[in-house]
Amino acid sequence: MSDPFAVMVGDERTQLTAFVEEYRTLIAGLLDGLTEEQARRRLVPAATTLLGLVRHAAFMETVWFGIGVHGATRAELGIPETVEESFLPRDDETIGSVRDHYLRVCERSRDAVAGLALDDTVTGRGYPITVRWLLLQVLRELAHHCGHADILREQILAAG
């Protein structure tokens, strides 16, 4: 796991990347030690499950980096048309397959901005976004979903 406290005097890109990587690691670890049933367990009225949260994180990263940076369409990227669909695991998906997919998506995300400066602008979504803003948006979403996941995991583990 990347440690943001290890780069408190680093440059802005190093610090921002450390925070994003910390949350990517936390998202990838959400399913550790769970059974397939626990990973799919719904505890709230929404379709949110731990497996769905990891799946959605892959979707979110694909939207911001695949569309935002490269300008690809959702169809070209093979992702759902709606955010709601991104939370719904298919029957053939498993903890291992969803986690592996997420890790591959994170690698593509890193590659998408590796050669870009924080002040560079991308326009794949049809409007200008700085790379800094894009990374902050991804960080915000990852942190938001980690909060949801912490509560769900606690409830699942407490119930056994």
Side-chain angles (χ1 to χ4, degrees):
M1 177 185 302
S2 186
D3 181 7
F5 291 98
V7 295
M8 293 190 318
V9 294
D11 63 85
E12 182 182 9
R13 179 68 174 255
T14 300
Q15 291 175 339
L16 183 53
T17 299
F19 276 96
V20 170
E21 291 301 328
E22 177 185 26
Y23 280 101
R24 283 177 173 156
T25 300
L26 291 170
I27 291 286
L30 288 178
L31 305 172
D32 289 351
L34 298 180
T35 66
E36 295 292 335
E37 182 278 325
Q38 288 171 320
R40 290 176 179 273
R41 193 178 295 171
R42 284 182 58 184
L43 299 173
V44 293
T48 306
T49 65
L50 288 173
L51 193 65
L53 281 169
V54 177
R55 198 173 185 282
H56 171 72
F59 166 85
M60 178 272 301
E61 292 227 13
T62 302
V63 166
W64 286 111
F65 294 99
I67 298 173
V69 175
H70 295 299
T73 66
R74 289 183 187 206
E76 290 169 334
L77 295 167
I79 59 173
E81 286 299 317
T82 68
V83 171
E84 292 77 19
E85 290 174 89
S86 74
F87 283 95
L88 304 174
R90 296 183 319 265
D91 289 342
D92 64 336
E93 289 180 308
T94 64
I95 289 170
S97 70
V98 169
R99 183 190 349 252
D100 289 348
H101 175 69
Y102 178 64
L103 294 173
R104 286 191 306 275
V105 166
C106 289
E107 192 58 40
R108 286 196 307 262
S109 297
R110 287 181 201 100
D111 291 346
V113 295
L116 301 174
L118 291 179
D119 289 328
D120 285 349
T121 301
V122 296
T123 58
R125 294 197 62 162
Y127 45 87
I129 303 169
T130 64
V131 172
R132 176 184 291 102
W133 189 93
L134 189 148
L135 290 170
L136 286 167
Q137 171 63 15
V138 168
L139 174 60
R140 184 188 72 78
E141 288 207 38
L142 291 172
H144 180 76
H145 293 308
C146 276
H148 293 139
D150 285 344
I151 294 166
L152 292 176
R153 249 188 93 82
E154 184 177 330
Q155 291 177 320
I156 288 168
L157 294 174

